[in-house]
Amino acid sequence: MTATKEMTSWDVEKIRADFPILHTEVNGKPLVYLDNAASSQVPQAVIDRTSKYLAEEHSNIHRGVHYLSQHATTAYEAAREKVKRFINAPDVDCCIFVRGCTEGINLVAHSYGHGFINEGDEILVSQMEHHSNIIPWQVVAEERKAKLVVIPMNERGELIIEEYDKLLNERTKIVAVGHVSNALGTVNPVKEMIATAHKFGVPVCVDAAQSVPHFPVDVQDLDADFFVFSGHKMFAPTGSGVVYGKREWLDKMPPYQTGGSQIRTVSFEKTTYAPLPAKFEAGTPAIAAGIGLGAAIDYLNSIDFEAAAKYEHDLLEYATARLADIPGVRIIGTAAEKASVLSFEIDGVHPHDIGTILDQQGIAVRAGHHCAQPVMQFFDVPATARASFAFYNTREEVDKLADAVQKVIEVFA
Amino acid sequence: MSELNELYQETILEHNKNPRNFREIEGADKEADGNNPLCGDALRVYVKMDGDTVADVAFKGSGCAISKASASMMTQAVRGKSREEADVLFDEFHKMVTGGLDVETDDNHLGRLKIFAGVLEFPARVKCASLSWHTLNAALHDAGEISTE
């Protein structure tokens, strides 16, 4: 297939028709939604499925013998099966539902940490991680008297793999790394990093929050030990998320939260836990959100996700070229492999002022440290403005962004 | 663009570019730090007192145009005022940007500071405009450090 054919095979207007919010106005202007790395928008099919559940199927799952409870359980477990196929997990029981990526990483960090990390051990995290993939490990390191070691990056925002290879040693107990950086857009070579870690017998926890919405993933091909993501960044409602983990680890790890649903027997002397995945799913989950996540996966399966990824990548390159062309604009994060994210600053203008002026044009971007303060420190900026794309964004929207950035420069000239 | 023009008025842009009293005060009697952790705005306010009068006031730090211009104009507004008068201005400014005071109809002493009334239409920016004032208030009342979160 030629590049031209691939471009035309993606009918962006048809896709946009699936997302009602994209047809609304903000500040009297058509919405230009470029904050997808924070949260993506929801297609009508997902809204309908979630509403139908709430209107016709809602009940608590797993424990009821009545019709609705069984119906809700079936729908929720069907969503889990969809997750398994979406990431090509070997085993549906190794797909644990959580309320979001942050909760998922906390689950892995605390549970794995209490099971396997001891005094003097080392935890490797990268310099470009989101705070959610730093702080849980920092807390666990402190509790277990272990050391947090940082994989450095270069000025393009790429991990320095030779340094990573040198940092791995017999004290390393886990590597925590983002698949795609939310602040820079860098796609990290996680498959290679996992292979190297495995030579030392070290498991790897991949923060996949920013990768699953942008290209197809395969946890078996990556050989990831843990793979964690949120639903709300991949066109599902907030409150959904997944931890995939290899059974060999999950079976040995203690529960993270405890309570209802995750037990086999309870007495005041001793509790025994349920098998996977229930062991890690204490309490009533976000059932509607989980079913919504299943519907979002159905949606992604209904479109040509490979073509979507290609289209979106072309769009990112177009946006990068447009902004790089404007004098006074500096792009932060220029890795060779990028997805979705375009962080930038304008000489002499604070990102919050950029954000406000763009908002008045109906353009939603994020201005701030993107929960990645170490990244901001590395590039010596207080904050950046960040446009982040999804497959429903268009070149016309990129042009509006570029025009608005010009306007910012005029206002502050 | 009308609302936007109301926020980024010429005077505000000019103060952002050339902030007044943007310096440290050696031997300041009072200092306080202000932080807005959400956007990374951080500034320090220095005050030199002469009895009960604000003899000199200055600031250093980094922030957006709104926070910088607000700090700049604040230093101009409170210099030479008594602590009590500064407290009144703080109170009125705070009320203006949070909707508790209408500069057109309610009595006030805000003068040129009325230019910040437009911030009310931009809820995400209220903290930017009021950060320096909260920090001044902390300095005058020896509270040390404030955070607008």
Side-chain angles (χ1 to χ4, degrees), chain A residues 60-63 99 257-264 266 271 273-274 277-285:
Chain A
N60 209 334
I61 56 169
H62 291 147
R63 288 177 299 281
R99 292 154 191 90
Q257 295 177 341
T258 52
S261 302
Q262 57 98 229
I263 53 90
R264 182 172 281 149
V266 177
T271 293
Y273 298 110
K279 174 175 142 185
F280 288 103
E281 295 185 350
T284 298

PDB file of all heavy atoms in Angstrom, chain A residues 60-63 99 257-264 266 271 273-274 277-285:
ATOM      1  N   ASN A  60     -24.771  -5.047  41.543  1.00  0.00           N
ATOM      2  CA  ASN A  60     -23.406  -5.401  41.937  1.00  0.00           C
ATOM      3  C   ASN A  60     -23.071  -6.772  41.345  1.00  0.00           C
ATOM      4  O   ASN A  60     -23.939  -7.616  41.160  1.00  0.00           O
ATOM      5  CB  ASN A  60     -23.242  -5.402  43.462  1.00  0.00           C
ATOM      6  CG  ASN A  60     -21.808  -5.054  43.848  1.00  0.00           C
ATOM      7  OD1 ASN A  60     -20.878  -5.278  43.072  1.00  0.00           O
ATOM      8  ND2 ASN A  60     -21.639  -4.513  45.030  1.00  0.00           N
ATOM      9  N   ILE A  61     -21.767  -6.933  41.063  1.00  0.00           N
ATOM     10  CA  ILE A  61     -21.362  -8.149  40.350  1.00  0.00           C
ATOM     11  C   ILE A  61     -20.886  -9.239  41.312  1.00  0.00           C
ATOM     12  O   ILE A  61     -20.697  -8.990  42.496  1.00  0.00           O
ATOM     13  CB  ILE A  61     -20.249  -7.839  39.324  1.00  0.00           C
ATOM     14  CG1 ILE A  61     -19.061  -7.163  40.026  1.00  0.00           C
ATOM     15  CG2 ILE A  61     -20.787  -6.970  38.206  1.00  0.00           C
ATOM     16  CD1 ILE A  61     -17.838  -7.062  39.148  1.00  0.00           C
ATOM     17  N   HIS A  62     -20.717 -10.421  40.775  1.00  0.00           N
ATOM     18  CA  HIS A  62     -20.026 -11.539  41.420  1.00  0.00           C
ATOM     19  C   HIS A  62     -20.750 -12.220  42.572  1.00  0.00           C
ATOM     20  O   HIS A  62     -20.620 -13.409  42.758  1.00  0.00           O
ATOM     21  CB  HIS A  62     -18.616 -11.143  41.891  1.00  0.00           C
ATOM     22  CG  HIS A  62     -17.685 -10.892  40.749  1.00  0.00           C
ATOM     23  ND1 HIS A  62     -16.685  -9.949  40.803  1.00  0.00           N
ATOM     24  CD2 HIS A  62     -17.623 -11.432  39.510  1.00  0.00           C
ATOM     25  CE1 HIS A  62     -16.032  -9.927  39.640  1.00  0.00           C
ATOM     26  NE2 HIS A  62     -16.587 -10.818  38.842  1.00  0.00           N
ATOM     27  N   ARG A  63     -21.530 -11.504  43.365  1.00  0.00           N
ATOM     28  CA  ARG A  63     -22.069 -12.164  44.544  1.00  0.00           C
ATOM     29  C   ARG A  63     -23.554 -12.491  44.457  1.00  0.00           C
ATOM     30  O   ARG A  63     -24.059 -13.260  45.245  1.00  0.00           O
ATOM     31  CB  ARG A  63     -21.798 -11.319  45.798  1.00  0.00           C
ATOM     32  CG  ARG A  63     -20.359 -11.331  46.192  1.00  0.00           C
ATOM     33  CD  ARG A  63     -20.093 -10.430  47.376  1.00  0.00           C
ATOM     34  NE  ARG A  63     -20.416  -9.040  47.111  1.00  0.00           N
ATOM     35  CZ  ARG A  63     -19.620  -8.213  46.429  1.00  0.00           C
ATOM     36  NH1 ARG A  63     -18.502  -8.651  45.929  1.00  0.00           N
ATOM     37  NH2 ARG A  63     -19.968  -6.974  46.232  1.00  0.00           N
ATOM     38  N   ARG A  99      -8.879   1.263  38.841  1.00  0.00           N
ATOM     39  CA  ARG A  99      -9.643   2.474  38.524  1.00  0.00           C
ATOM     40  C   ARG A  99      -8.868   3.441  37.632  1.00  0.00           C
ATOM     41  O   ARG A  99      -9.382   4.470  37.230  1.00  0.00           O
ATOM     42  CB  ARG A  99     -10.125   3.135  39.810  1.00  0.00           C
ATOM     43  CG  ARG A  99     -11.183   2.295  40.519  1.00  0.00           C
ATOM     44  CD  ARG A  99     -11.228   2.562  42.020  1.00  0.00           C
ATOM     45  NE  ARG A  99     -12.055   1.584  42.728  1.00  0.00           N
ATOM     46  CZ  ARG A  99     -11.594   0.430  43.227  1.00  0.00           C
ATOM     47  NH1 ARG A  99     -10.318   0.101  43.086  1.00  0.00           N
ATOM     48  NH2 ARG A  99     -12.390  -0.394  43.867  1.00  0.00           N
ATOM     49  N   GLN A 257      -4.976  -4.102  47.978  1.00  0.00           N
ATOM     50  CA  GLN A 257      -6.066  -3.720  48.867  1.00  0.00           C
ATOM     51  C   GLN A 257      -6.792  -4.994  49.276  1.00  0.00           C
ATOM     52  O   GLN A 257      -6.794  -5.974  48.533  1.00  0.00           O
ATOM     53  CB  GLN A 257      -7.028  -2.773  48.156  1.00  0.00           C
ATOM     54  CG  GLN A 257      -6.371  -1.452  47.803  1.00  0.00           C
ATOM     55  CD  GLN A 257      -7.310  -0.535  47.031  1.00  0.00           C
ATOM     56  OE1 GLN A 257      -8.302  -0.948  46.460  1.00  0.00           O
ATOM     57  NE2 GLN A 257      -6.961   0.739  47.017  1.00  0.00           N
ATOM     58  N   THR A 258      -7.389  -4.943  50.453  1.00  0.00           N
ATOM     59  CA  THR A 258      -8.082  -6.134  50.933  1.00  0.00           C
ATOM     60  C   THR A 258      -9.507  -5.762  51.318  1.00  0.00           C
ATOM     61  O   THR A 258      -9.810  -4.590  51.568  1.00  0.00           O
ATOM     62  CB  THR A 258      -7.355  -6.724  52.164  1.00  0.00           C
ATOM     63  OG1 THR A 258      -7.167  -5.680  53.117  1.00  0.00           O
ATOM     64  CG2 THR A 258      -6.010  -7.306  51.786  1.00  0.00           C
ATOM     65  N   GLY A 259     -10.377  -6.749  51.343  1.00  0.00           N
ATOM     66  CA  GLY A 259     -11.774  -6.483  51.698  1.00  0.00           C
ATOM     67  C   GLY A 259     -12.684  -7.445  50.981  1.00  0.00           C
ATOM     68  O   GLY A 259     -12.316  -8.588  50.720  1.00  0.00           O
ATOM     69  N   GLY A 260     -13.853  -6.928  50.609  1.00  0.00           N
ATOM     70  CA  GLY A 260     -14.845  -7.768  49.950  1.00  0.00           C
ATOM     71  C   GLY A 260     -14.363  -8.241  48.594  1.00  0.00           C
ATOM     72  O   GLY A 260     -13.484  -7.632  47.981  1.00  0.00           O
ATOM     73  N   SER A 261     -14.909  -9.329  48.134  1.00  0.00           N
ATOM     74  CA  SER A 261     -14.716  -9.875  46.780  1.00  0.00           C
ATOM     75  C   SER A 261     -13.387 -10.581  46.547  1.00  0.00           C
ATOM     76  O   SER A 261     -13.248 -11.310  45.584  1.00  0.00           O
ATOM     77  CB  SER A 261     -14.816  -8.791  45.690  1.00  0.00           C
ATOM     78  OG  SER A 261     -16.051  -8.169  45.755  1.00  0.00           O
ATOM     79  N   GLN A 262     -12.388 -10.301  47.375  1.00  0.00           N
ATOM     80  CA  GLN A 262     -11.068 -10.832  47.015  1.00  0.00           C
ATOM     81  C   GLN A 262     -10.634 -11.977  47.924  1.00  0.00           C
ATOM     82  O   GLN A 262      -9.477 -12.355  47.927  1.00  0.00           O
ATOM     83  CB  GLN A 262     -10.041  -9.692  46.993  1.00  0.00           C
ATOM     84  CG  GLN A 262      -9.890  -8.876  48.270  1.00  0.00           C
ATOM     85  CD  GLN A 262      -8.732  -9.289  49.129  1.00  0.00           C
ATOM     86  OE1 GLN A 262      -8.876  -9.488  50.332  1.00  0.00           O
ATOM     87  NE2 GLN A 262      -7.573  -9.438  48.522  1.00  0.00           N
ATOM     88  N   ILE A 263     -11.586 -12.554  48.649  1.00  0.00           N
ATOM     89  CA  ILE A 263     -11.223 -13.573  49.631  1.00  0.00           C
ATOM     90  C   ILE A 263     -11.770 -14.947  49.259  1.00  0.00           C
ATOM     91  O   ILE A 263     -12.682 -15.079  48.453  1.00  0.00           O
ATOM     92  CB  ILE A 263     -11.767 -13.191  51.036  1.00  0.00           C
ATOM     93  CG1 ILE A 263     -13.274 -12.891  50.979  1.00  0.00           C
ATOM     94  CG2 ILE A 263     -11.000 -12.010  51.570  1.00  0.00           C
ATOM     95  CD1 ILE A 263     -14.177 -14.010  51.199  1.00  0.00           C
ATOM     96  N   ARG A 264     -11.194 -15.959  49.869  1.00  0.00           N
ATOM     97  CA  ARG A 264     -11.760 -17.294  49.778  1.00  0.00           C
ATOM     98  C   ARG A 264     -12.485 -17.578  51.093  1.00  0.00           C
ATOM     99  O   ARG A 264     -13.670 -17.850  51.103  1.00  0.00           O
ATOM    100  CB  ARG A 264     -10.652 -18.315  49.511  1.00  0.00           C
ATOM    101  CG  ARG A 264     -11.147 -19.731  49.363  1.00  0.00           C
ATOM    102  CD  ARG A 264     -10.045 -20.674  48.903  1.00  0.00           C
ATOM    103  NE  ARG A 264      -9.805 -20.576  47.472  1.00  0.00           N
ATOM    104  CZ  ARG A 264      -8.618 -20.782  46.910  1.00  0.00           C
ATOM    105  NH1 ARG A 264      -7.565 -21.043  47.645  1.00  0.00           N
ATOM    106  NH2 ARG A 264      -8.480 -20.704  45.603  1.00  0.00           N
ATOM    107  N   VAL A 266     -12.715 -16.154  55.397  1.00  0.00           N
ATOM    108  CA  VAL A 266     -12.301 -15.164  56.397  1.00  0.00           C
ATOM    109  C   VAL A 266     -12.727 -15.624  57.780  1.00  0.00           C
ATOM    110  O   VAL A 266     -13.870 -16.024  57.999  1.00  0.00           O
ATOM    111  CB  VAL A 266     -12.970 -13.786  56.134  1.00  0.00           C
ATOM    112  CG1 VAL A 266     -12.586 -12.787  57.226  1.00  0.00           C
ATOM    113  CG2 VAL A 266     -12.591 -13.241  54.763  1.00  0.00           C
ATOM    114  N   THR A 271      -7.246 -15.164  57.032  1.00  0.00           N
ATOM    115  CA  THR A 271      -7.962 -14.992  55.775  1.00  0.00           C
ATOM    116  C   THR A 271      -7.182 -15.665  54.662  1.00  0.00           C
ATOM    117  O   THR A 271      -5.955 -15.563  54.616  1.00  0.00           O
ATOM    118  CB  THR A 271      -8.126 -13.482  55.460  1.00  0.00           C
ATOM    119  OG1 THR A 271      -8.996 -12.912  56.436  1.00  0.00           O
ATOM    120  CG2 THR A 271      -8.715 -13.258  54.078  1.00  0.00           C
ATOM    121  N   TYR A 273      -7.003 -15.963  50.385  1.00  0.00           N
ATOM    122  CA  TYR A 273      -7.416 -15.104  49.287  1.00  0.00           C
ATOM    123  C   TYR A 273      -7.908 -15.893  48.085  1.00  0.00           C
ATOM    124  O   TYR A 273      -7.511 -17.036  47.854  1.00  0.00           O
ATOM    125  CB  TYR A 273      -6.262 -14.184  48.884  1.00  0.00           C
ATOM    126  CG  TYR A 273      -5.870 -13.289  50.033  1.00  0.00           C
ATOM    127  CD1 TYR A 273      -4.653 -13.468  50.690  1.00  0.00           C
ATOM    128  CD2 TYR A 273      -6.741 -12.302  50.490  1.00  0.00           C
ATOM    129  CE1 TYR A 273      -4.316 -12.670  51.778  1.00  0.00           C
ATOM    130  CE2 TYR A 273      -6.403 -11.503  51.575  1.00  0.00           C
ATOM    131  CZ  TYR A 273      -5.190 -11.697  52.217  1.00  0.00           C
ATOM    132  OH  TYR A 273      -4.880 -10.923  53.279  1.00  0.00           O
ATOM    133  N   ALA A 274      -8.739 -15.208  47.330  1.00  0.00           N
ATOM    134  CA  ALA A 274      -9.280 -15.787  46.092  1.00  0.00           C
ATOM    135  C   ALA A 274      -8.181 -15.874  45.048  1.00  0.00           C
ATOM    136  O   ALA A 274      -7.179 -15.161  45.129  1.00  0.00           O
ATOM    137  CB  ALA A 274     -10.425 -14.910  45.592  1.00  0.00           C
ATOM    138  N   PRO A 277      -8.318 -13.130  38.944  1.00  0.00           N
ATOM    139  CA  PRO A 277      -7.863 -11.775  39.258  1.00  0.00           C
ATOM    140  C   PRO A 277      -8.456 -11.218  40.555  1.00  0.00           C
ATOM    141  O   PRO A 277      -8.037 -10.161  41.024  1.00  0.00           O
ATOM    142  CB  PRO A 277      -8.381 -10.979  38.062  1.00  0.00           C
ATOM    143  CG  PRO A 277      -9.659 -11.682  37.676  1.00  0.00           C
ATOM    144  CD  PRO A 277      -9.427 -13.135  37.956  1.00  0.00           C
ATOM    145  N   ALA A 278      -9.420 -11.961  41.154  1.00  0.00           N
ATOM    146  CA  ALA A 278     -10.181 -11.420  42.293  1.00  0.00           C
ATOM    147  C   ALA A 278      -9.270 -11.009  43.455  1.00  0.00           C
ATOM    148  O   ALA A 278      -9.556 -10.048  44.166  1.00  0.00           O
ATOM    149  CB  ALA A 278     -11.205 -12.458  42.762  1.00  0.00           C
ATOM    150  N   LYS A 279      -8.158 -11.746  43.609  1.00  0.00           N
ATOM    151  CA  LYS A 279      -7.230 -11.451  44.716  1.00  0.00           C
ATOM    152  C   LYS A 279      -6.829  -9.970  44.744  1.00  0.00           C
ATOM    153  O   LYS A 279      -6.602  -9.401  45.820  1.00  0.00           O
ATOM    154  CB  LYS A 279      -5.990 -12.333  44.517  1.00  0.00           C
ATOM    155  CG  LYS A 279      -4.847 -12.090  45.461  1.00  0.00           C
ATOM    156  CD  LYS A 279      -3.753 -13.144  45.179  1.00  0.00           C
ATOM    157  CE  LYS A 279      -2.374 -12.570  45.300  1.00  0.00           C
ATOM    158  NZ  LYS A 279      -1.332 -13.545  44.920  1.00  0.00           N
ATOM    159  N   PHE A 280      -6.757  -9.359  43.566  1.00  0.00           N
ATOM    160  CA  PHE A 280      -6.322  -7.956  43.492  1.00  0.00           C
ATOM    161  C   PHE A 280      -7.489  -6.991  43.272  1.00  0.00           C
ATOM    162  O   PHE A 280      -7.276  -5.827  42.940  1.00  0.00           O
ATOM    163  CB  PHE A 280      -5.290  -7.791  42.377  1.00  0.00           C
ATOM    164  CG  PHE A 280      -3.957  -8.400  42.712  1.00  0.00           C
ATOM    165  CD1 PHE A 280      -3.572  -9.609  42.160  1.00  0.00           C
ATOM    166  CD2 PHE A 280      -3.088  -7.768  43.597  1.00  0.00           C
ATOM    167  CE1 PHE A 280      -2.342 -10.184  42.473  1.00  0.00           C
ATOM    168  CE2 PHE A 280      -1.866  -8.328  43.920  1.00  0.00           C
ATOM    169  CZ  PHE A 280      -1.480  -9.533  43.367  1.00  0.00           C
ATOM    170  N   GLU A 281      -8.710  -7.473  43.423  1.00  0.00           N
ATOM    171  CA  GLU A 281      -9.861  -6.611  43.116  1.00  0.00           C
ATOM    172  C   GLU A 281     -10.795  -6.499  44.320  1.00  0.00           C
ATOM    173  O   GLU A 281     -11.946  -6.927  44.289  1.00  0.00           O
ATOM    174  CB  GLU A 281     -10.600  -7.133  41.877  1.00  0.00           C
ATOM    175  CG  GLU A 281      -9.745  -7.045  40.614  1.00  0.00           C
ATOM    176  CD  GLU A 281     -10.481  -7.450  39.346  1.00  0.00           C
ATOM    177  OE1 GLU A 281     -11.611  -7.979  39.433  1.00  0.00           O
ATOM    178  OE2 GLU A 281      -9.921  -7.242  38.263  1.00  0.00           O
ATOM    179  N   ALA A 282     -10.276  -5.897  45.383  1.00  0.00           N
ATOM    180  CA  ALA A 282     -11.091  -5.733  46.589  1.00  0.00           C
ATOM    181  C   ALA A 282     -12.183  -4.688  46.361  1.00  0.00           C
ATOM    182  O   ALA A 282     -11.953  -3.660  45.739  1.00  0.00           O
ATOM    183  CB  ALA A 282     -10.200  -5.317  47.750  1.00  0.00           C
ATOM    184  N   GLY A 283     -13.349  -4.965  46.900  1.00  0.00           N
ATOM    185  CA  GLY A 283     -14.432  -3.974  46.850  1.00  0.00           C
ATOM    186  C   GLY A 283     -15.157  -3.979  45.518  1.00  0.00           C
ATOM    187  O   GLY A 283     -14.734  -4.600  44.542  1.00  0.00           O
ATOM    188  N   THR A 284     -16.282  -3.265  45.500  1.00  0.00           N
ATOM    189  CA  THR A 284     -17.050  -3.158  44.256  1.00  0.00           C
ATOM    190  C   THR A 284     -16.267  -2.324  43.265  1.00  0.00           C
ATOM    191  O   THR A 284     -15.864  -1.204  43.578  1.00  0.00           O
ATOM    192  CB  THR A 284     -18.415  -2.498  44.533  1.00  0.00           C
ATOM    193  OG1 THR A 284     -19.148  -3.343  45.428  1.00  0.00           O
ATOM    194  CG2 THR A 284     -19.200  -2.314  43.249  1.00  0.00           C
ATOM    195  N   PRO A 285     -16.016  -2.835  42.078  1.00  0.00           N
ATOM    196  CA  PRO A 285     -15.245  -2.058  41.096  1.00  0.00           C
ATOM    197  C   PRO A 285     -16.103  -1.001  40.411  1.00  0.00           C
ATOM    198  O   PRO A 285     -17.306  -0.918  40.669  1.00  0.00           O
ATOM    199  CB  PRO A 285     -14.797  -3.138  40.105  1.00  0.00           C
ATOM    200  CG  PRO A 285     -15.886  -4.155  40.150  1.00  0.00           C
ATOM    201  CD  PRO A 285     -16.415  -4.145  41.564  1.00  0.00           C
TER     202      PRO A 285
END
